[in-house]
Amino acid sequence: MALGSLVAYWNTLTLKSVWVNFRGIILMILAQLCFFLTFFLTKVANLRYDIPSFQIVTVRGTVMLVVNSIKIYYSDASLDIPRRFYKNLFWRAFAGVISSCLIFYSATVLKFGECLTIFWTLPFLSVILAAIFLDERLNLFDLLAIMMSFIGVLLVFQPEYLFSVSSNEKKRAENSQGAIHPVTYLLPFIAAIFAAIANVQMRVMKNHVHYAVPILFLSVALSSVPPVIAMLFQGFQILTTEGYVITFAAGIVGWIGQLLQSKSLQIEKLGTSFCEIRNTPEIESPKTLSILILNICRYWKCCWFHPGCTGFFV
């Protein structure tokens, strides 16, 4: 019976109906692709051009501030924000800048597999916070979907702190990376906590604040706080033409990802954006399709950043 309803629903799908029923998950998938491309550009900028991580965050925030201000100016976005949402905008920007600083620093220090595997506790944390603070219903299927997705990322990346590594491989990694303080491995998890807090704030402001407005406050924070940290701890480097292109591209792609994610979080519940799709009249719950699509996106990212992975293994 369920298979028959699924086939009937599939036969009635059109581009318009797909967009109407699945646009939240589609926007989130595109946002994740943008974020992973931003991580990739950050890694390239740091490894190839030796650009400090906080300088990359500063340039990215400045680019986001300029392009997002242009979008707000030429769109229907209103800056007349109800006073009750001021604190939500503050916490969205505060949590966003801490999360960005920590995850981009981690991406330049740790291996991509180690960094993103730890950071991918974000969906689980977001759904838990949504259930606590937003009263969004959480069922066993949602928890299982997130846990299975996280286990899949673990199997693809196989981080060294969970999987055994030969002594020769460990020595080569230590020689290429240098000694890493164990506390460094906590940074992606802390970044995930603050990113989940930022997502909750976006859900609180849905239908009341234009999705581009919180990004304006975030970009102001990203273009003002990281420069101070960079001057105190890392310093600035004079960028080459290629360095400017890489960091500018990271800012543009990161801004697009923020827009898509903000819009997705206004459309769907927080748990829905990360692990399921809304129910439709034709079929009771097409969650399996949404999880398949989202995991294809995640595992594609894993293969892109982890050359040792193969499509067959995924």
Side-chain angles (χ1 to χ4, degrees):
M1 189 71 179
L3 180 61
S5 61
L6 179 61
V7 173
Y9 174 72
W10 184 267
N11 292 333
T12 61
L13 282 179
T14 62
L15 288 178
K16 182 177 180 180
S17 64
V18 168
W19 174 249
V20 170
N21 294 312
F22 297 87
R23 59 177 179 166
I25 196 71
I26 291 174
L27 292 175
M28 182 58 74
I29 289 173
L30 295 176
Q32 296 304 312
L33 289 174
C34 289
F35 292 147
F36 298 139
L37 181 56
T38 304
F39 292 153
F40 172 72
L41 294 173
T42 301
K43 194 71 172 179
V44 171
N46 180 258
L47 290 179
R48 181 170 297 181
Y49 302 103
D50 198 28
I51 303 175
S53 58
F54 288 104
Q55 183 176 354
I56 298 173
V57 177
T58 300
V59 175
R60 175 174 174 260
T62 304
V63 172
M64 287 176 56
L65 177 60
V66 173
V67 294
N68 197 71
S69 300
I70 296 174
K71 173 180 173 50
I72 290 177
Y73 181 80
Y74 286 103
S75 67
D76 58 349
S78 174
L79 294 177
D80 186 14
I81 306 167
R83 292 182 62 88
R84 67 180 185 275
F85 295 115
Y86 285 1
K87 64 177 181 180
N88 300 112
L89 287 171
F90 168 79
W91 283 111
R92 168 66 180 93
F94 178 78
V97 72
I98 293 180
S99 177
S100 296
C101 289
L102 291 179
I103 191 59
F104 281 102
Y105 175 76
S106 302
T108 58
V109 176
L110 300 175
K111 292 182 179 179
F112 253 106
E114 297 170 339
C115 177
L116 294 183
T117 300
I118 301 172
F119 185 69
W120 201 245
T121 53
L122 170 60
F124 182 79
L125 295 171
S126 296
V127 173
I128 294 298
L129 291 181
I132 296 174
F133 296 104
L134 302 178
D135 294 327
E136 293 187 357
R137 295 180 59 186
L138 184 65
N139 55 45
L140 180 61
F141 185 90
D142 297 333
L143 290 175
L144 289 176
I146 296 173
M147 291 176 62
M148 291 176 64
S149 176
F150 180 71
I151 292 173
V153 174
L154 285 178
L155 293 176
V156 171
F157 276 129
Q158 298 187 16
E160 295 179 4
Y161 51 83
L162 291 179
F163 293 84
S164 60
V165 181
S166 65
S167 58
N168 292 333
E169 291 181 356
K170 192 171 184 179
K171 288 180 180 178
R172 284 198 298 267
E174 290 176 353
N175 292 334
S176 61
Q177 267 192 302
I180 298 177
H181 196 282
V183 177
T184 308
Y185 291 98
L186 289 176
L187 298 183
F189 180 71
I190 299 174
I193 294 175
F194 280 97
I197 294 174
N199 291 335
V200 169
Q201 301 307 316
M202 283 299 305
R203 282 296 297 167
V204 172
M205 296 182 287
K206 68 181 180 68
N207 302 328
H208 300 285
V209 179
H210 192 276
Y211 65 93
V213 173
I215 301 175
L216 177 65
F217 286 79
L218 173 63
S219 58
V220 170
L222 287 175
S223 59
S224 57
V225 176
V228 178
I229 302 176
M231 286 187 292
L232 292 175
F233 298 102
Q234 291 184 334
F236 285 93
Q237 178 180 318
I238 299 176
L239 300 182
T240 61
T241 303
E242 293 83 359
Y244 274 114
V245 172
I246 291 292
T247 51
F248 180 82
I252 292 294
V253 176
W255 170 70
I256 295 174
Q258 288 289 343
L259 281 181
L260 295 173
Q261 178 175 264
S262 297
K263 187 64 176 177
S264 172
L265 292 175
Q266 288 192 343
I267 296 172
E268 306 283 2
K269 293 192 302 181
L270 199 55
T272 305
S273 296
F274 282 109
C275 61
E276 65 179 59
I277 299 178
R278 289 172 301 180
N279 296 338
T280 61
E282 295 85 358
I283 186 169
E284 181 181 355
S285 183
K287 299 177 181 178
T288 305
L289 178 61
S290 69
I291 295 172
L292 175 64
I293 296 173
L294 192 54
N295 282 337
I296 287 175
C297 167
R298 293 169 183 165
Y299 295 151
W300 172 86
K301 171 263 299 182
C302 295
C303 288
W304 182 269
F305 290 127
H306 199 287
C309 296
T310 64
F312 175 79
F313 181 73
V314 173

